[in-house]
Every structure is written in C-alpha cells, then in structure tokens.
Amino acid sequence: MNNIWKAAVVLSAFIAAAQCLTCRRCPVGIFGTCLFGSDIQCNNSTESCFRGEAQFNATGSLTLHIRGCLDSDLCEKTLTGNILSAGYTSSFQCCTTSLCNGATSVQLSLTAALSAAILASLWGLWEL
C-alpha cells in the first residue's frame, strides 16, 4: 500500500509540472526587437502569459516592450507611476496558452542593441 501512495505522489508531481504554463520572456525590447529573450516556465500559480509596453512621458517616442508570466489580476490593466521622477505608463495584454505571447526573440549583443538605439535616435533628429 505504501508503494501505491508513493506512485500517486510522483504521478501528481508530473501532472502538476506538465500543467505549468510556458511563456516567452523578454525583459527588455526596443523598436520591436527583444534583446535578451527566452522561453520560461511559469510557476503553478501564474495563469497568464503577457505582452506589455512601458512608455516614458519624457521621451514620448521610446516604448519598451516586455513579455513573460503574469498573474491574471494584472491583465488588461494600465498602470502609471514614476521612476527617478520620470513618469511612465504601462499596459499588459494577456493570453492563457503556452507560448501565446509572441514569436521567438532575436538575440542581440548589448553593443549591437545600444548601437541600434543610438542610430534610431539620431535618425529621428535628422528628420527634424
């Protein structure tokens, strides 16, 4: 009888692990490109994958994109706040199936990412 309980516990652990949601993770994305993306397995309490945007009021045109796991209570919400006295607005769109929050990210080195950001900002100045 003891072996049956052990087998039941192991089977339950495999079922719980199989039900964890897998989401795309992007801690920083600019100009539509994720800089350090990967796939992650959410913990059992997380019910949603999300795509989010953060726009800083001072820059206006710079929008950061993020992706990952999120508790459902933050889905479809818009939040505002301040970081180092710079105001920001962020929003989250959620989905509930594995890898539903976007395509595989492009991996860029930090040097390439910073160069792209500088060139894009200079391009905006040339258009003025």
Side-chain angles (χ1 to χ4, degrees), residues 21-25 38-40 49 95-103:
L21 189 61
T22 301
C23 298
R24 304 280 186 209
R25 183 183 75 86
S38 62
D39 293 346
I40 59 168
C49 297
C95 54
T96 57
T97 58
S98 285
L99 303 175
C100 61
N101 63 334

Side-chain angles (χ1 to χ4, degrees), residues 66-97:
I66 54 176
R67 296 178 187 178
C69 302
L70 189 68
D71 291 329
S72 295
D73 59 338
L74 291 175
C75 292
E76 313 311 322
K77 300 249 173 144
T78 300
L79 305 173
T80 58
N82 291 303
I83 296 177
L84 300 174
S85 72
Y88 69 90
T89 302
S90 59
S91 60
F92 307 98
Q93 293 79 41
C94 296
C95 54
T96 57
T97 58

Side-chain angles (χ1 to χ4, degrees), residues 2-76:
N2 197 16
N3 287 337
I4 293 173
W5 284 111
K6 287 179 184 177
V9 168
V10 170
L11 183 60
S12 297
F14 282 127
I15 291 171
Q19 292 179 349
C20 290
L21 189 61
T22 301
C23 298
R24 304 280 186 209
R25 183 183 75 86
C26 179
V28 178
I30 56 173
F31 306 116
T33 302
C34 183
L35 303 180
F36 306 104
S38 62
D39 293 346
I40 59 168
Q41 186 135 9
C42 304
N43 63 38
N44 285 336
S45 65
T46 302
E47 303 166 352
S48 301
C49 297
F50 81 96
R51 297 176 95 169
E53 292 185 349
Q55 187 166 32
F56 291 89
N57 301 339
T59 61
S61 62
L62 179 63
T63 301
L64 299 178
H65 301 275
I66 54 176
R67 296 178 187 178
C69 302
L70 189 68
D71 291 329
S72 295
D73 59 338
L74 291 175
C75 292
E76 313 311 322

